[in-house]
Amino acid sequence: MIKNLKNIACIALVALAISSCSKTKDAPAAQEPAAKKDKVFNYITSLGFPSSSIVDLGTEYMVEGDISFPKDMEVPTTDGSPKLEQYYTGTLVSPANAAAIRVFADATMTSMNAEIASAVAQWNGVAGSALRFRIVTSAPYDIRITDVNLGNGVCGSGTFPSGGLAGNLIRINKAYIAPNSFAQRARTICHELGHNISFRHTNWAAIGESSAINVPGVPGTDAASLMNGGQCGSGATVLSAKDKAAVAALY
Ligand SMILES: [Zn+2]
């Protein structure tokens, strides 16, 4: 209302041929996120995540509610990475590291050791894949799982690999998922582990991303995929045939 009055006043003044009505005066400070853009931000957009899906949390960017990009992460160079078409980031855990990815649940997560063991067993049980998670009870480790209050609607968050290493952090919204079934709680762990070894959301297109890289030989959507996003507490609880084919293709 005030704005309208202001506009009317402005038009009136223009009518009086007074040229002091500055258009820029009403325009809010430029909304462009350009000033915020850094190489991590640019990397995220290069993966096909729209700028609007990227939330700046200070020391990290959070995308689609459950994928964390630490601002100090090592940004992969695009040179030489294959543009292939289930979906991943194009940046993998190195074969040597993927053969034994050490998973550590800190003290906040020991109450979910059974769910973690179940999730690890799913990935480790994929025929034709050399990828193995190994649960460790002390440092050193590659992935730390910790309990963090992520608010309503978010089960957990994962981190993509960089520098040949698995993403180093998984946050689980333990209190929020506590009412879920055991299978759904284990799914959350399994899903975030998938991000930490490079899997993106299989349903990326449906949830607004512009592009993702197809796992070679495993293209397209998959309603049964455990890596579908936005299905906190309701999604698939076992790796689908295509999920398995995808991990076998990559690792
Ligand atoms: Zn996810």
Side-chain angles (χ1 to χ4, degrees):
M1 195 59 173
I2 288 172
K3 215 169 184 179
N4 286 343
L5 289 173
K6 209 169 175 184
N7 287 342
I8 291 163
C10 206
I11 290 162
L13 288 173
V14 168
L16 288 171
I18 293 169
S19 59
S20 65
C21 291
S22 163
K23 240 183 179 175
T24 55
K25 212 170 181 178
D26 281 348
Q31 302 266 0
E32 295 160 47
K36 276 187 177 174
K37 284 185 182 171
D38 54 42
K39 64 180 182 173
V40 173
F41 188 100
N42 289 333
Y43 171 59
I44 299 169
T45 56
S46 78
L47 292 173
F49 294 106
S51 301
S52 58
S53 73
I54 304 170
V55 178
D56 189 337
L57 295 180
T59 58
E60 65 183 304
Y61 291 110
M62 189 65 78
V63 179
E64 285 184 1
D66 89 324
I67 307 167
S68 165
F69 292 84
K71 289 187 180 174
D72 61 358
M73 71 174 283
E74 187 182 317
V75 174
T77 54
T78 50
D79 298 341
S81 64
K83 280 288 176 191
L84 312 158
E85 287 221 335
Q86 260 110 25
Y87 299 92
Y88 76 118
T89 65
T91 299
L92 296 172
V93 182
S94 73
N97 291 332
I101 302 171
R102 295 161 297 186
V103 177
F104 170 69
D106 72 15
T108 66
M109 285 300 295
T110 49
S111 64
M112 286 185 65
N113 277 345
E115 289 88 338
I116 294 168
S118 167
V120 160
Q122 285 217 49
W123 289 111
N124 287 356
V126 176
S129 164
L131 179 126
R132 293 290 181 277
F133 290 110
R134 190 158 58 84
I135 294 170
V136 298
T137 53
S138 61
Y141 50 82
D142 300 298
I143 301 174
R144 180 170 65 95
I145 305 181
T146 191
D147 172 31
V148 175
N149 181 353
L150 300 167
N152 276 352
V154 181
C155 283
S157 72
T159 316
F160 286 146
S162 67
L165 295 167
N168 63 2
L169 181 64
I170 289 175
R171 279 171 285 205
I172 297 299
N173 201 355
K174 205 170 73 171
Y176 181 72
I177 67 171
N180 293 352
S181 66
F182 178 91
Q184 283 295 335
R185 294 195 304 271
R187 168 211 153 86
T188 294
I189 308 279
C190 200
H191 178 97
E192 306 311 340
L193 283 170
H195 285 317
N196 285 44
I197 57 171
S198 175
F199 280 105
R200 291 182 56 167
H201 291 141
T202 308
N203 58 344
W204 59 273
I207 51 185
E209 296 173 29
S210 61
S211 69
I213 302 173
N214 262 307
V215 172
V218 196
T221 57
D222 175 13
S225 176
L226 197 148
M227 291 310 299
N228 283 330
Q231 300 181 351
C232 178
S234 65
T237 56
V238 293
L239 294 172
S240 70
K242 285 179 77 175
D243 288 337
K244 291 177 181 175
V247 73
L250 295 179
Y251 296 103

